[in-house]
Amino acid sequence: MDLETRQLQQLLSAKNQLPEVVLLKATTTSTNDDIREIAQKGITTGLVCSAQQTQGRGQHQRQWISPEGNIYLSTLVQTRTPLDGRLALEVALNILQIPQLQALNLQVKWPNDLYSAQGKWGGILVEPLSQHQAIVGVGINLKTPPVTDSDQPITSLEDLGLEQMSRLELISELYVAIQNADQTEYNDVYDWMDEVFSDVEDKLEGKMDIDDLRMDYGDYVQNYWEKGEESDDEDDDEEEDFDDEDEY
């Protein structure tokens, strides 16, 4: 075992989040494929991280440009409730709560982009293995890759102002953020939103696709979370409202 792997294990152990398997690679085809092979051996916790991917993929099997020097990691997540489309969002929201990232004015762009006013700096790919187990892959730009054919602006944590955080520390924080994502913390918000959307759909009587009316879950739940935290500090009894013009 090399020194970096031992150091990462120590960081994860200190956070009480040491998986059965920890692999650090210089290059690989896809960390999601690597962790899938680990899961097929009956292992339930694992972390694979590579500095480069040759066949990285994103949403809908689109190619994920994975040049050397950034973070590409995958892990296994066990959920208490059956998987649905919310897991990627909850992973993203947890990543934004990493202490060293909170001052960077980062955002979530539905359904799986880690975003900012300057552009996309990361992404999340969830690949279910069963109703309660999924592979979660995360790609993070530490440095802005030389992409010329992207349909959206691309940036990096370095360009956004991240300073004095080691690569291994960020990997460990990302792993913990992913493992702490669960589909129960935000259920009250989701249930309320589903009621609103269902009511609108009933009133439309099929005259319009309800998907055209659905709000951006990322901004909406992020708004709820941040305002909820403020309310807890100031007045637990104060009723929260939502303003879709808030900026984050």
Side-chain angles (χ1 to χ4, degrees), residues 68-81:
E68 186 176 0
N70 293 321
I71 291 177
Y72 314 102
L73 68 80
S74 298
T75 184
L76 295 167
V77 171
Q78 321 293 325
T79 63
R80 289 176 287 179
T81 57

PDB file of all heavy atoms in Angstrom, residues 68-81:
ATOM      1  N   GLU A  68      -6.051  14.603 -16.707  1.00  0.00           N
ATOM      2  CA  GLU A  68      -5.261  14.335 -15.517  1.00  0.00           C
ATOM      3  C   GLU A  68      -5.248  15.545 -14.578  1.00  0.00           C
ATOM      4  O   GLU A  68      -5.222  16.692 -15.013  1.00  0.00           O
ATOM      5  CB  GLU A  68      -3.830  13.989 -15.921  1.00  0.00           C
ATOM      6  CG  GLU A  68      -2.948  13.557 -14.762  1.00  0.00           C
ATOM      7  CD  GLU A  68      -1.578  13.130 -15.219  1.00  0.00           C
ATOM      8  OE1 GLU A  68      -1.313  13.169 -16.445  1.00  0.00           O
ATOM      9  OE2 GLU A  68      -0.765  12.743 -14.358  1.00  0.00           O
ATOM     10  N   GLY A  69      -5.295  15.254 -13.273  1.00  0.00           N
ATOM     11  CA  GLY A  69      -5.116  16.298 -12.277  1.00  0.00           C
ATOM     12  C   GLY A  69      -6.353  16.689 -11.507  1.00  0.00           C
ATOM     13  O   GLY A  69      -6.259  17.422 -10.516  1.00  0.00           O
ATOM     14  N   ASN A  70      -7.534  16.216 -11.935  1.00  0.00           N
ATOM     15  CA  ASN A  70      -8.760  16.516 -11.209  1.00  0.00           C
ATOM     16  C   ASN A  70      -9.163  15.329 -10.347  1.00  0.00           C
ATOM     17  O   ASN A  70      -8.402  14.371 -10.209  1.00  0.00           O
ATOM     18  CB  ASN A  70      -9.865  16.926 -12.183  1.00  0.00           C
ATOM     19  CG  ASN A  70      -9.553  18.252 -12.853  1.00  0.00           C
ATOM     20  OD1 ASN A  70      -9.033  19.167 -12.231  1.00  0.00           O
ATOM     21  ND2 ASN A  70      -9.859  18.361 -14.138  1.00  0.00           N
ATOM     22  N   ILE A  71     -10.339  15.368  -9.756  1.00  0.00           N
ATOM     23  CA  ILE A  71     -10.799  14.278  -8.900  1.00  0.00           C
ATOM     24  C   ILE A  71     -11.956  13.557  -9.577  1.00  0.00           C
ATOM     25  O   ILE A  71     -12.962  14.171  -9.937  1.00  0.00           O
ATOM     26  CB  ILE A  71     -11.255  14.807  -7.524  1.00  0.00           C
ATOM     27  CG1 ILE A  71     -10.049  15.308  -6.721  1.00  0.00           C
ATOM     28  CG2 ILE A  71     -11.997  13.725  -6.741  1.00  0.00           C
ATOM     29  CD1 ILE A  71     -10.410  15.911  -5.376  1.00  0.00           C
ATOM     30  N   TYR A  72     -11.787  12.266  -9.746  1.00  0.00           N
ATOM     31  CA  TYR A  72     -12.842  11.402 -10.278  1.00  0.00           C
ATOM     32  C   TYR A  72     -12.974  10.248  -9.302  1.00  0.00           C
ATOM     33  O   TYR A  72     -12.061   9.426  -9.169  1.00  0.00           O
ATOM     34  CB  TYR A  72     -12.491  10.906 -11.677  1.00  0.00           C
ATOM     35  CG  TYR A  72     -11.979  12.014 -12.575  1.00  0.00           C
ATOM     36  CD1 TYR A  72     -10.613  12.149 -12.830  1.00  0.00           C
ATOM     37  CD2 TYR A  72     -12.848  12.947 -13.120  1.00  0.00           C
ATOM     38  CE1 TYR A  72     -10.134  13.181 -13.629  1.00  0.00           C
ATOM     39  CE2 TYR A  72     -12.381  13.996 -13.912  1.00  0.00           C
ATOM     40  CZ  TYR A  72     -11.014  14.102 -14.160  1.00  0.00           C
ATOM     41  OH  TYR A  72     -10.544  15.129 -14.938  1.00  0.00           O
ATOM     42  N   LEU A  73     -14.097  10.198  -8.588  1.00  0.00           N
ATOM     43  CA  LEU A  73     -14.244   9.160  -7.576  1.00  0.00           C
ATOM     44  C   LEU A  73     -15.620   8.524  -7.651  1.00  0.00           C
ATOM     45  O   LEU A  73     -16.586   9.130  -8.117  1.00  0.00           O
ATOM     46  CB  LEU A  73     -13.969   9.716  -6.176  1.00  0.00           C
ATOM     47  CG  LEU A  73     -14.920  10.730  -5.537  1.00  0.00           C
ATOM     48  CD1 LEU A  73     -16.156  10.074  -4.926  1.00  0.00           C
ATOM     49  CD2 LEU A  73     -14.197  11.525  -4.475  1.00  0.00           C
ATOM     50  N   SER A  74     -15.670   7.291  -7.172  1.00  0.00           N
ATOM     51  CA  SER A  74     -16.932   6.559  -7.113  1.00  0.00           C
ATOM     52  C   SER A  74     -16.983   5.766  -5.824  1.00  0.00           C
ATOM     53  O   SER A  74     -15.960   5.329  -5.297  1.00  0.00           O
ATOM     54  CB  SER A  74     -17.058   5.600  -8.303  1.00  0.00           C
ATOM     55  OG  SER A  74     -17.073   6.306  -9.522  1.00  0.00           O
ATOM     56  N   THR A  75     -18.199   5.592  -5.330  1.00  0.00           N
ATOM     57  CA  THR A  75     -18.402   4.855  -4.097  1.00  0.00           C
ATOM     58  C   THR A  75     -19.765   4.176  -4.132  1.00  0.00           C
ATOM     59  O   THR A  75     -20.582   4.426  -5.016  1.00  0.00           O
ATOM     60  CB  THR A  75     -18.293   5.799  -2.888  1.00  0.00           C
ATOM     61  OG1 THR A  75     -18.394   5.050  -1.681  1.00  0.00           O
ATOM     62  CG2 THR A  75     -19.391   6.846  -2.912  1.00  0.00           C
ATOM     63  N   LEU A  76     -19.983   3.308  -3.162  1.00  0.00           N
ATOM     64  CA  LEU A  76     -21.256   2.624  -3.007  1.00  0.00           C
ATOM     65  C   LEU A  76     -22.062   3.305  -1.911  1.00  0.00           C
ATOM     66  O   LEU A  76     -21.516   3.658  -0.862  1.00  0.00           O
ATOM     67  CB  LEU A  76     -21.044   1.151  -2.647  1.00  0.00           C
ATOM     68  CG  LEU A  76     -20.364   0.295  -3.708  1.00  0.00           C
ATOM     69  CD1 LEU A  76     -19.927  -1.036  -3.115  1.00  0.00           C
ATOM     70  CD2 LEU A  76     -21.303   0.067  -4.884  1.00  0.00           C
ATOM     71  N   VAL A  77     -23.347   3.473  -2.162  1.00  0.00           N
ATOM     72  CA  VAL A  77     -24.238   4.103  -1.179  1.00  0.00           C
ATOM     73  C   VAL A  77     -25.402   3.160  -0.905  1.00  0.00           C
ATOM     74  O   VAL A  77     -26.018   2.631  -1.838  1.00  0.00           O
ATOM     75  CB  VAL A  77     -24.759   5.459  -1.699  1.00  0.00           C
ATOM     76  CG1 VAL A  77     -25.849   5.998  -0.781  1.00  0.00           C
ATOM     77  CG2 VAL A  77     -23.616   6.455  -1.805  1.00  0.00           C
ATOM     78  N   GLN A  78     -25.673   2.961   0.375  1.00  0.00           N
ATOM     79  CA  GLN A  78     -26.839   2.193   0.806  1.00  0.00           C
ATOM     80  C   GLN A  78     -27.886   3.189   1.313  1.00  0.00           C
ATOM     81  O   GLN A  78     -27.568   4.061   2.120  1.00  0.00           O
ATOM     82  CB  GLN A  78     -26.472   1.221   1.933  1.00  0.00           C
ATOM     83  CG  GLN A  78     -25.123   0.536   1.796  1.00  0.00           C
ATOM     84  CD  GLN A  78     -25.051  -0.419   0.635  1.00  0.00           C
ATOM     85  OE1 GLN A  78     -26.042  -1.076   0.306  1.00  0.00           O
ATOM     86  NE2 GLN A  78     -23.885  -0.505   0.013  1.00  0.00           N
ATOM     87  N   THR A  79     -29.118   3.080   0.846  1.00  0.00           N
ATOM     88  CA  THR A  79     -30.165   4.010   1.270  1.00  0.00           C
ATOM     89  C   THR A  79     -31.237   3.296   2.092  1.00  0.00           C
ATOM     90  O   THR A  79     -31.501   2.110   1.887  1.00  0.00           O
ATOM     91  CB  THR A  79     -30.832   4.686   0.065  1.00  0.00           C
ATOM     92  OG1 THR A  79     -31.488   3.691  -0.733  1.00  0.00           O
ATOM     93  CG2 THR A  79     -29.801   5.420  -0.775  1.00  0.00           C
ATOM     94  N   ARG A  80     -31.849   4.045   3.009  1.00  0.00           N
ATOM     95  CA  ARG A  80     -32.905   3.476   3.853  1.00  0.00           C
ATOM     96  C   ARG A  80     -34.225   3.385   3.112  1.00  0.00           C
ATOM     97  O   ARG A  80     -35.082   2.579   3.453  1.00  0.00           O
ATOM     98  CB  ARG A  80     -33.065   4.330   5.114  1.00  0.00           C
ATOM     99  CG  ARG A  80     -31.893   4.201   6.076  1.00  0.00           C
ATOM    100  CD  ARG A  80     -32.039   5.136   7.255  1.00  0.00           C
ATOM    101  NE  ARG A  80     -31.800   6.525   6.858  1.00  0.00           N
ATOM    102  CZ  ARG A  80     -31.888   7.556   7.684  1.00  0.00           C
ATOM    103  NH1 ARG A  80     -32.244   7.363   8.935  1.00  0.00           N
ATOM    104  NH2 ARG A  80     -31.634   8.778   7.269  1.00  0.00           N
ATOM    105  N   THR A  81     -34.412   4.245   2.126  1.00  0.00           N
ATOM    106  CA  THR A  81     -35.646   4.234   1.340  1.00  0.00           C
ATOM    107  C   THR A  81     -35.308   3.859  -0.096  1.00  0.00           C
ATOM    108  O   THR A  81     -34.173   4.014  -0.543  1.00  0.00           O
ATOM    109  CB  THR A  81     -36.315   5.616   1.370  1.00  0.00           C
ATOM    110  OG1 THR A  81     -35.381   6.594   0.889  1.00  0.00           O
ATOM    111  CG2 THR A  81     -36.729   5.984   2.788  1.00  0.00           C
TER     112      THR A  81
END
